[in-house]
Amino acid sequence: MAVQPYDPENIFAKILRGEIPCTKVYEDDHVLAFNDIAPQAPTHVLVIPKGSYTSYDDFALNASDAEIVAYTRAIGKISKEAGVVEDGYRLIANTREHGRQDVPHLHVHILGGEKLPRMLPGA
Ligand code: AMP
């Protein structure tokens, strides 16, 4: 199956254009982070690049070095500022159908603030 092109009508593209609101926790030239609308842990932040990338593989292969550095550093800064670094946290990037990605704009979930369930059933 061919990889779908970027859909500019996805909900995170609308957040980036200011068409729908978000609870912003971080922003720089290349990155926006906001609280997940349906948190699955006491800390649940979504970190997105401002560029139009569908997935981590798309981003890693096609983004500029400046975007990749900014995104990686932002995830570190946001995790630290959220207070989850000491006790630990989880990063998740669900990808396409098998990864059960609902919103087709790259986002990393930062989850923490409590001891999380094991990652996959039976793990
Ligand atoms: P995923 O299944 O990895 O694509 O995750 C999409 C995430 O986006 C889910 O955790 C949703 O709760 C979250 N989400 C959907 N709409 C919004 C929104 N308007 N603001 C914040 N988070 C959202």
Side-chain angles (χ1 to χ4, degrees), residues 8-111:
E9 293 310 313
N10 78 76
I11 199 153
F12 294 167
K14 290 180 180 176
I15 287 176
L16 282 168
R17 292 195 296 267
E19 293 168 11
I20 60 170
C22 70
T23 306
K24 183 165 72 179
V25 300
Y26 177 86
E27 183 170 18
D28 66 28
D29 288 349
H30 297 295
V31 182
L32 178 68
F34 47 90
N35 288 324
D36 195 292
I37 204 168
Q40 296 184 42
T43 296
H44 189 170
V45 177
L46 301 173
V47 189
I48 69 174
K50 290 186 173 176
S52 301
Y53 302 101
T54 56
S55 63
Y56 199 91
D57 57 278
D58 181 19
F59 182 72
L61 294 172
N62 298 311
S64 67
D65 290 359
E67 289 174 299
I68 290 171
V69 169
Y71 193 62
T72 304
R73 292 244 193 268
I75 290 170
K77 283 182 208 163
I78 296 159
S79 301
K80 199 166 178 187
E81 280 164 21
V84 296
V85 163
E86 194 170 304
D87 288 333
Y89 59 96
R90 183 174 295 156
L91 303 181
I92 299 176
N94 296 320
T95 305
R96 302 197 184 89
E97 187 182 353
H98 283 191
R100 295 184 183 263
Q101 179 179 9
D102 291 324
V103 181
H105 182 112
L106 169 61
H107 50 285
V108 165
H109 299 249
I110 302 175
L111 292 151

